[in-house]
């Protein structure tokens, strides 16, 4: 097991407010989404950054409920072209128009079930940035890749291919979500020290791609994968970890409030 204390890291992220991102996936109907959004708006008081990513259909209504609050809105995907004859797709610009600030890209469920490649993710990141959205780029190894000792390779590849050749200017922000695929939805998060080591690998890839001041000021790394109220602070207390991406435990108001409280 890795020992994060053995890694000497510049502690440049200590004063950044943590972010909690809720990924509702395709788990709520419109009425359920509206009801949970109202609960979140009425009950979340903590001074941390909270972003909620409902399904496309629910975005507009949930956005209306959050208006006037500090809760931010994100999409779960966008298309890789700005506009055109792409039946069934949703553009980054449309997400922006309905009030999104964020968009999750390259989630492992999309890579697995929809054949999303690193190249597609790259083009989506480019569109998201052009539309003024903050991409939340998901990277992470499968169990098989982990067993083959390919974890770091996968993280470097996915991070690099998503971002290489793009220019990130001082007004743009990017979040990388490290999500070990094999623990998503399992109820068992990974050892926080292992997440810390993965985050360091991701940071190294970023330093290889961008000027160090851009990496320090414009990138954040969050952990995702079976985050709940009992383990969330183990991750948010790590050096170089700016928050969490929460799936299952964001669907119940009490669980979600407890996560926010424990950050
Ligand atoms: P989980 O999902 O919290 O249910 O493991 C996380 C995610 O898929 O983003």
């Amino acid at each position: 097991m890795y020992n994060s204390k053995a890694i000497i890291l510049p502690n440049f992220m200590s004063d950044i407010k943590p972010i909690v991102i809720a990924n509702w996936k395709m788990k709520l109907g419109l009425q359920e989404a509206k009801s949970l959004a109202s609960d979140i708006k009425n009950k979340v008081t903590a001074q941390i950054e909270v972003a909620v990513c409902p399904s496309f259909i629910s975005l507009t209504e949930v956005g209306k409920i959050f208006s006037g609050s500090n809760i931010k809105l994100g999409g779960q995907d966008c298309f890789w072209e700005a506009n055109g004859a792409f039946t069934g797709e949703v553009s980054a610009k449309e997400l922006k128009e309905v009030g999104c600030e964020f968009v999750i890209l390259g989630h492992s469920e999309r890579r697995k079930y929809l054949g999303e490649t690193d190249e597609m993710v790259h083009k989506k990141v480019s569109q998201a940035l052009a539309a003024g959205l903050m991409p939340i780029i998901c990277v992470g190894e499968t169990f098989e890749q982990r067993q083959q000792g390919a974890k770091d390779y996968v993280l470097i590849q996915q991070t690099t291919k998503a971002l290489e050749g793009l220019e990130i200017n001082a007004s743009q922000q990017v979040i990388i979500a490290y999500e070990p695929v094999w623990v998503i939805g399992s109820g068992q998060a990974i050892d926080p020290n292992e997440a810390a080591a993965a985050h360091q690998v991701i940071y190294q890839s970023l330093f290889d791609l961008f000027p160090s001041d851009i990496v320090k000021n414009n990138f954040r790394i969050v952990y995702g994968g079976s985050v709940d109220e009992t383990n969330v602070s183990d991750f948010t207390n790590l050096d170089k970890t700016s928050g969490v991406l929460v799936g299952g435990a964001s669907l119940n108001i009490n669980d979600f409030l407890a996560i926010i409280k424990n950050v």
Side-chain angles (χ1 to χ4, degrees):
M1 197 57 71
Y2 293 101
N3 176 2
S4 67
K5 302 221 166 37
I7 303 170
I8 313 289
L9 305 172
N11 191 10
F12 49 78
M13 302 189 56
S14 49
D15 40 344
I16 296 177
K17 265 199 299 185
I19 183 167
V20 175
I21 305 160
N23 175 11
W24 287 357
K25 310 194 180 190
M26 199 184 73
K27 297 217 175 179
L28 301 177
L30 177 59
Q31 298 311 325
E32 292 166 317
K34 284 168 67 174
S35 158
L36 181 54
S38 300
D39 278 346
I40 290 174
K41 180 178 173 175
N42 294 333
K43 295 181 180 168
V44 169
T45 51
Q47 293 306 306
I48 60 167
E49 201 175 357
V50 176
V52 173
C53 303
S55 66
F56 287 141
I57 292 287
S58 301
L59 274 174
T60 307
E61 292 298 323
V62 169
K64 280 185 205 157
I65 292 166
F66 289 158
S67 76
S69 79
N70 290 329
I71 314 295
K72 297 178 177 174
L73 194 65
Q76 296 178 13
D77 182 42
C78 70
F79 194 53
W80 63 69
E81 295 288 344
N83 126 310
F86 302 107
T87 302
E89 293 298 333
V90 172
S91 69
K93 182 166 167 268
E94 286 173 280
L95 294 183
K96 187 77 182 169
E97 281 171 351
V98 297
C100 288
E101 293 178 49
F102 301 85
V103 59
I104 298 172
L105 295 174
H107 191 281
S108 61
E109 287 150 13
R110 296 196 60 84
R111 293 181 194 258
K112 179 175 175 191
Y113 299 118
L114 293 141
E116 237 173 59
T117 63
D118 289 333
E119 191 196 357
M120 293 176 195
V121 175
H122 175 93
K123 290 197 278 185
K124 291 179 176 199
V125 172
S126 174
Q127 287 299 331
L129 289 168
L133 292 169
M134 196 185 303
I136 301 164
I137 305 169
C138 299
V139 300
E141 80 288 357
T142 63
F143 187 70
E144 292 69 33
Q145 289 165 333
R146 177 188 163 83
Q147 294 304 87
Q148 288 159 5
K151 172 180 149 183
D152 288 1
Y153 175 79
V154 170
L155 298 181
I156 293 166
Q157 283 287 106
Q158 291 183 342
T159 305
T160 303
K161 291 199 166 170
L163 289 160
E164 70 187 340
L166 297 179
E167 262 192 39
I168 307 295
N169 66 43
S171 67
Q172 292 171 319
Q173 296 279 328
V174 179
I175 295 176
I176 311 285
Y178 169 55
E179 297 206 301
V181 177
W182 49 286
V183 302
I184 291 176
S186 71
Q188 180 65 58
I190 60 167
D191 184 319
N193 286 328
E194 200 177 333
H199 296 177
Q200 178 59 12
V201 170
I202 294 166
Y203 265 112
Q204 187 57 60
S205 305
L206 297 175
F207 280 117
D208 289 343
L209 289 169
F210 300 104
S212 57
D213 56 329
I214 291 286
V215 177
K216 289 174 189 167
N217 299 323
N218 299 65
F219 281 88
R220 287 183 278 178
I221 296 183
V222 300
Y223 168 79
S226 293
V227 170
D228 62 26
E229 65 185 280
T230 66
N231 61 28
V232 63
S233 61
D234 296 339
F235 294 102
T236 52
N237 284 339
L238 293 172
D239 275 354
K240 307 177 77 64
T241 302
S242 301
V244 284
L245 175 54
V246 189
S250 71
L251 296 170
N252 172 287
I253 186 63
N254 293 326
D255 294 347
F256 193 53
L257 289 173
I259 286 175
I260 290 170
K261 180 168 159 269
N262 290 348
V263 170

